[in-house]
Amino acid sequence: MAQIFGPGMDLAARSVLIALGLGAAAAIAFACAMPASDYRTAQHETIAQPVPFSHQHHVAGLGLDCRYCHGAVERAANAGMPATETCMTCHSQIWTHAEMLAPVRASLAEHRPLRWKKVNRLPDYVYFDHSIHIAKGVGCASCHGAVARMPLIRKEASLSMGWCLDCHRDPAPNLRPRAALFDTEWRRGDDTPSPADLMRAYHVRTAGLTDCSTCHR
Amino acid sequence: MSDRLIAPGESFASVTDRVTGIVFDPPHRLGWWLLMLLALALVGLGTLAIGWLFVAGIGIWGINIPVAWGFAISNYVWWIGMASGGTMISSLFHVMRADWRSSVNRLAETMTLFAAACAGIFPILHLGRPYYFYWLFPYPNVMGLWPQFRSPLLWDFFAILTYVLCSMLFWYVGLIPDLATMRDRAPSRAGQIVYGLLALGWRGSALQWLRYQSAYRVLAGLMGPLVISVHSIVGLDFAGGLTPGWHSTQYPPFFVFGAVLSGFGIVLMLAIPLRRAYRLEALITPRHLDILARLTLLSSLAVGYAYAMDLFTAFYGDSRYDHDLALDRLIGHYAPLFWITILCNLLLPQALWWRRVRQDTRLLLVIGASVVLGMWCERILIVLQSLAHEYEPSRWGLFHPTFWDWATLLGTIGLFLAGLLLLLRLLPALSLFELRDLLARRGAAHG
Amino acid sequence: MSLRDTIRARLAGRTGPAYWRSLEELAGEVGFAGWIEEEFPGLAQAFGQALGRRHVLRMIGASLSLAGLAGCSPAAPDVEMAVPVEEPGMEPGSIRHYATATTLGGIATGVLVTHADARPIKIEGNPDHPASLGATSVFDQAALLQLYDPDRAATVTRGGAIATPGEAFGALRARLDALAAAQGAGLHILSGAFSSPTLAAQRAALIAAYPRARWHGHEPASRANVWRGAALAFGREAEPLPALDRAEIILAVDSDLLSAAPGHLSYVRAFAARRAPTAGMNRLYVWEATPSLTGAAADHRFAVPPRDTFRLLQKLAALIAGGSAGEAPGWLLPLAQDLAAHRGAALLHVGPEQPPETHTLAHLINQALAAPIRLIAPVLAPQSSDLADLCRDIAAGGVDTLIMLGGDPVYSAAGDLGFAELLARVPHRFHLAPYRNATAEASEWVIPEAHELESWSDARAFDGSVTIQQPQLRPLHGGSSAHQLLAVLLGSVDADPRAPVLAEWQRRAHAAGQASGFETFWQDALRKGLVADSAQPSLDLSPKIAIAALAAPPVADGLALLFRTDAALWDGRFANNGWLQELPHPLTTLTWDNAALIAPADAAQRDLATGDVVRLAIGRHAIEAPVWIQPGQAAGSITLPLGYGQVRGGRIATGVGFDAYRLRSHDAPWQQGGATLDRLGRTVAFAATQHQPTMQGRDLLRTVSLADLADAASGWDPERPEPSLYPGAEADRPAWGMAIDLSRCVGCGACMVACQAENNVPVVGKEEVQRGRAMHWLRIDRYYQGGEAAPRTLFQPVLCMHCENAPCEVVCPVDATVHDREGLNVMVYNRCIGTRFCSNNCPYKVRRFNFFDYAGAEARPAAARNPDVTVRSRGVMEKCTYCLQRIKTAEIAAERDGKALADGDVVTACQAACAARAITFGDIRDPHSAVARAKANPLDYAVLGELGTRPRTSYAARLSNPNPAIGEES
């Protein structure tokens, strides 16, 4: 009877087997890498806001301090969003009729809150406290990046658990002098106290910083 | 002469015809279809149960606090037990060059394959959040977390995974030469191609045989330890716990005994109807059944010893909790399960001391079935009764199975049955090349 | 599936008609309410009102707390709310406390309401308030859930059709004008018991304006017997206040002293304080027909059938007077001697269920014993006429307009009054309704009543101290208070909720000539939650009658039915409260049901088993009820808890248990004889949380009597630390631990509800409880010792032990439960995959599993949840965390302000609620901490310590002080 398979079959069979092996490996690699990708973490992403507020203009340009708008950052877990009236302190005087600011005026007039889209959003089961990070010498920029150079605010860090742990395992490199906490442009200079000194100055203890209970309740 | 492993007058050709005939010219088509329909119906029920499980949550089962484990874990242990029994037959006895193995090993391996598959379903189903089962793998992740290597569950997961993969491999490798036979025998072109592809270009050259034999032996050598490991781990799932009735060092061997017993039981249960239906009496001879029966008896005694030790340590030891639990096992709410276990696993098999019983296929069938049932009762008893009566009496509570508990169990039984029936019609039910080899070595073959 | 149906039916927030009606009301706000509705359902009503700052801030809070819904709901909104107008001090994440009071039967308990982001999320006791002393009862805790109950009456209706408040008040005025000519004849008002000075003043003003109007009082759990008893003894009504701190021997006769009497929290505090050898341990005797918490706490408890009580008390009096008692139980003489021997430090207390004569007799004996008891005028405003009078007036056709202020009289009226039928005859019926209950259904006009946490009012505590109640938020359902309604009757044009209260207190200030300092007084009273020295002065009264001259009350012969308020639902007002429905009754551990409690002997004689349904009849009235065989119940008596079997009034309330009011008689509200019992052959399945009544001889709950204290404690093997390979607690961190003193615990269950409120513990419904899936992180085990007839009842609160060698941790395959540096056994919900191995491996069985999406199924606005605690999703394990969120809040605050954590900075929810101070929590590493000192107690032991788990929670054995002359625990 006639042969069912030609001699080429050997090669075909072998290459199929090899392909299967490689394919599986590739799939696993992809599955592992995917969650860390910007696509999943939304890192470096900007979101359309009701008002195209420019941190660059207000911070770098006008020299506003972070706390002018995010007033609770030193006292509370939540940094706080500025009340509409905070915007209006200036914008009742300048750009009073700017089309761009219509939603702001509407908010105050109709007494309905502005609904900003969250850019840096943590999972529901993570309890992050701004005040303690500020108190322990972690500056805004460590998580929020160079806000002063962002025309539109964007997510600067992946905010993945691994990313949080990197700092909780070794906070020293991310500490800065009190004066520089709110300066997103600050860079470590020669006169900056060493990380070790800062650790001492802020009484940062690493023991327990990586306990689950530090962030999860 | 009942000690013949192959009836006289069998030749290479006759054996091959007999076995390949089941595939290419199957008898009892109607019966097969009826059985298949039944199996598929059960599979459907099971699928429904699992679907609802994912929609509603594992609350649809009877589990509660204190009895947080129920059917799922017991069924898992039960299935995996039968699986390893099958592996035991094919691998261990291959390594030990036990000739009689040849005509039942394919059956045992196929059974193993599906039993293991059924078992494999449960550990994932029983999770509260099954979609996160992969957290059990130590893989690089953005959370910077590892699994918890002290937990027996983790090793159980690894063990069963390895075990399922290896038994598939073992089963397939064992098939290759027969697949070639099928290829050559297949009447249709399509059949030839499919079997041909699966046969991986087997030509039966001396070199191939040489490589094949060594490869197969290595695999067989690998499977034996795996049986032990997978079941010791399952035993440790319980022994690792603090729960009275679980916290016992003898559990790993105890579970292996049970596994082997149920394995022999199920093989008896399958082999007898099979040889009858497909007239394989010449190949699966009374001698085979006799050996299987003896092995069943042996493992039954081993299990009996384990039961005895369990009770002895409970009553001899000074832990009042173990003591109370053992007493409850004998006379408490779940006592019927215990006594059924004793009856099925210990008392009935004692009949196998008598040669007449070992030769009566009907009785053998009954005993095989009773052992399988008994093992299920034992597993469910260990899980439920221990959890129901732990340290704090204020938290004592019973488990009441729901419709969905039963549906899931039946579903897996359906899956098992369907799988067997399917392969019966697609692949040689007995290992052809080993039978021929046997014939050759017995010099019983004449053209 | 039946069970899911039930969860849905009982708990699920289906948008019923009442729900939307309230939205339709919002003139011009509909669109607005629309998007809030989609943002956080349930809060929608809150925005029905004109917007105020607190609303918007509450809205932020809501978004935060929604962010707590891990997996329970589709992802939380990715929106950050920015308020239009910032209010000073009202920043997100801020926690504040505002003082006010909750009332029960008109009597106040001072509380502090915790606000997260300006919305109430928790209730704590007010340490400055005499009735609270910082503690709370189950009812105080559950008031929060009541506040957020979506089933509360939400719309003004007329004959079932929607109307506006304006129309309703208009109609009221119209009736008033119509009746004005006749000086208000035909105008009748029905209220519950109240102590509010403002309401009293308003009532006076109304009666002054309409002399012929009638005001009736109706309180299902009335204390009338107490006052009448005093009147009989002293010639005027009075309320006795026992000074338990000075009492060495206490005899409680059918007394609710420790569980339900007004001021019981303070009594428990004082009683528990003396349950230690060092504190001059007191001795409590209890006679009672039906087991109570007071009985469970007793050193000697005697089951005395109601018919014998008075006679026995007479014999006791005789013995104390040195006479003879004739034939009497053996223990009576030693008891009498014990009382007599402690003259000046021994007292009797009698419960309101006993007839006046018993009270009189007790007063006289107390006088003889110079008992440490203070007599004060009843703090409740006197009610000249009651529901029976109203019924008579209606029957006589003299009632034209009936205004019912709150409550549910149609449901809670004694069956023999036939109030429901009579009500139909009243031409004009107004009901200020907390719920759409039976009364609301029977009324022409229904005006939603604001919850007391939503309204301005004032109320007196058991000792007369006044608290001015301030609203914690705008009425969620736009309800009105009784004060507002009366203000309308009195002709005020605007129904400003604060005006009446403010006016009354200004008037008082003027009267007292302190008008100048009023503003400071007012602010001070609101801040403290207490009007300075407003307590009732003691009355100096002398007996007007001799014991001999006292006539015995009529005794109830035959099978006696005892009517009692329910430990969870009280008189039924809490029937729609899931926390209380699912709170296991302390003695039966029964949830979602009431049962006819029957003595074991009676049950055996009638061959009844628990769950058998029987028909109980008195005269022509009959009910069907399942029986519960209750150890310690006096033979020949059956106890019927009130408050269940409602047919209207909310999704949870309806169809649970049986309605005992139908059998109740107005003239004999607490007990009736001559009942008949027939078995119906049906049975019901109860949902009890504990099935095993005894300890099975295991060493879980240790008891010691004062006598053999010395050798007992020394006999115990000291807890020797097992060698361990695992690292211990960090040296420079606190080591959290807890000590529970079983001698103090009375088993009231306040800790359970407090824990539920603090930790967002879901309610699961009856079927799930039956399946053994109740979720309480903290449970109270109840064990019986001794015979069924007169067992000793023991309570043991059990929560996560936070074992140092935790068996649960080693078996979790994904590290979802681990130890932290401070020795806490942490449960990481978001890592849990639900193998449940940890629960199997927990010898204390304190772990709870989300078999279904319980939290998601709750009809509870997200805003009502504690934003600092993750809401658990389906398929994850959960358990007590030692209130991790409180620990972290304290630690972060301390770190931020550079201070060291002080002992007492962290108070767990259960600890805060406990009136008995049975729970101590803190850093066991610090030898001076309260908890370390508590653990130094020689009676301190670890449950199941022999397993080597080294629990951080330890117990002090229960100490008893039996009378040697009577012997251990009769």
Side-chain angles (χ1 to χ4, degrees), chain A residues 71-72 74-86 107-108 110-118 121 123-127 129 131-132 135-136 202-203 205-214 216-217, chain C residues 32 35 38-39 51 56 59 64 67-71 75-86 91-93 730 732-733 818-822 826 828-830 867-870 884-885 888-889 892 895-896:
Chain A
E74 288 170 299
R75 300 185 302 280
N78 186 317
M81 291 297 280
T84 314
E85 57 176 358
T86 314
S107 157
L108 201 61
E110 300 161 26
H111 212 108
R112 117 211 310 264
L114 277 169
R115 307 179 70 207
W116 301 96
K117 304 270 192 318
K118 278 187 186 155
R121 186 168 160 264
D124 306 335
Y125 41 76
V126 176
Y127 290 84
D129 188 305
S131 65
I132 191 65
K136 292 292 176 179
Y202 285 113
H203 306 292
R205 45 156 192 82
T206 46
L209 264 191
T210 54
D211 285 346
C212 306
S213 51
T214 307
H216 301 301
R217 296 170 198 167
Chain C
F32 176 66
W35 70 254
E38 89 217 9
E39 208 62 77
L51 271 166
V56 186
M59 180 160 59
L64 290 179
L69 290 159
D78 283 344
V79 177
E80 185 110 30
M81 297 286 176
V83 289
V85 180
E86 182 89 51
E91 62 209 13
E730 207 73 22
D732 68 328
R733 312 290 306 134
V818 293
H819 244 61
D820 78 359
R821 296 289 204 296
E822 301 173 356
V826 182
V828 192
Y829 312 119
N830 43 301
D868 283 340
V869 178
T870 307
L884 180 60
Q885 65 282 6
K888 287 301 162 192
T889 313
I892 288 176
E895 288 257 349
R896 186 176 53 219

Side-chain angles (χ1 to χ4, degrees), chain A residues 63-81:
Chain A
L64 289 189
D65 186 285
C66 308
R67 288 161 291 183
Y68 184 80
C69 299
H70 306 292
V73 73
E74 288 170 299
R75 300 185 302 280
N78 186 317
M81 291 297 280

Side-chain angles (χ1 to χ4, degrees), chain B residues 19-24 26 32 36 39-40 105-115 117 167-168 170-172 175 178-179 182 194-195 198 270 274 278 414-431:
Chain B
V19 177
T20 54
I22 302 175
V23 177
F24 297 129
W32 187 90
M36 194 58 172
L40 290 178
N105 70 329
R106 174 69 41 76
L107 185 65
E109 286 167 27
T110 317
M111 180 276 291
T112 297
L113 198 61
F114 290 101
S167 40
M168 280 170 74
F170 187 51
W171 168 80
Y172 179 65
L175 263 173
D178 288 0
L179 284 168
M182 299 297 285
V194 175
Y195 287 118
L198 291 173
L270 296 174
L274 190 74
Y278 293 107
L415 179 64
F416 179 75
L417 201 54
L420 278 183
L421 288 168
L422 203 62
L423 290 197
L424 190 62
R425 289 290 300 274
L426 295 179
L427 299 168
L430 272 57
S431 173

Side-chain angles (χ1 to χ4, degrees), chain C residues 103 119 794:
Chain C
T103 61
R119 74 183 194 283
L794 305 169

Side-chain angles (χ1 to χ4, degrees), chain B residues 11-69:
Chain B
S11 70
F12 288 171
S14 65
V15 169
T16 315
D17 293 337
R18 217 183 272 286
V19 177
T20 54
I22 302 175
V23 177
F24 297 129
D25 173 24
H28 317 297
R29 280 203 167 78
L30 179 63
W32 187 90
W33 273 113
L34 289 178
L35 265 179
M36 194 58 172
L37 282 180
L38 170 69
L40 290 178
L42 291 179
V43 171
L45 180 65
T47 322
L48 183 71
I50 291 170
W52 178 237
L53 179 78
F54 286 140
V55 174
I58 57 172
I60 65 172
W61 291 343
I63 45 177
N64 55 40
I65 306 291
V67 188
W69 284 357

Side-chain angles (χ1 to χ4, degrees), chain C residues 182-311:
Chain C
Q183 295 187 307
L187 171 64
H188 290 249
I189 295 172
L190 179 65
S191 79
F194 64 90
S195 63
S196 160
T198 303
L199 194 57
Q202 285 181 306
R203 178 174 73 174
L206 187 75
I207 300 298
Y210 307 93
R212 297 180 56 200
R214 295 288 303 283
W215 188 295
H216 310 267
H218 166 62
E219 188 64 30
S222 138
R223 296 185 64 78
N225 287 347
V226 180
W227 307 323
R228 293 212 198 92
L232 204 53
F234 306 113
R236 70 160 288 181
E237 296 197 334
E239 176 83 44
L241 305 185
L244 293 189
D245 51 345
R246 289 188 280 126
E248 282 166 28
I249 307 297
I250 305 156
L251 170 58
V253 178
D254 257 343
S255 161
D256 51 3
L257 190 56
L258 299 182
S259 53
H264 66 92
L265 294 175
S266 67
Y267 296 146
V268 169
R269 173 70 51 85
F271 173 76
R274 294 193 63 156
R275 294 306 285 178
T278 52
M281 187 162 175
N282 54 18
R283 178 176 297 146
L284 174 62
Y285 298 87
V286 171
W287 303 353
E288 58 186 6
T290 188
S292 73
L293 291 180
T294 316
D299 297 296
H300 293 287
R301 178 187 178 276
F302 308 109
V304 176
R307 73 175 68 82
D308 301 348
T309 312
F310 185 82
R311 227 180 311 123

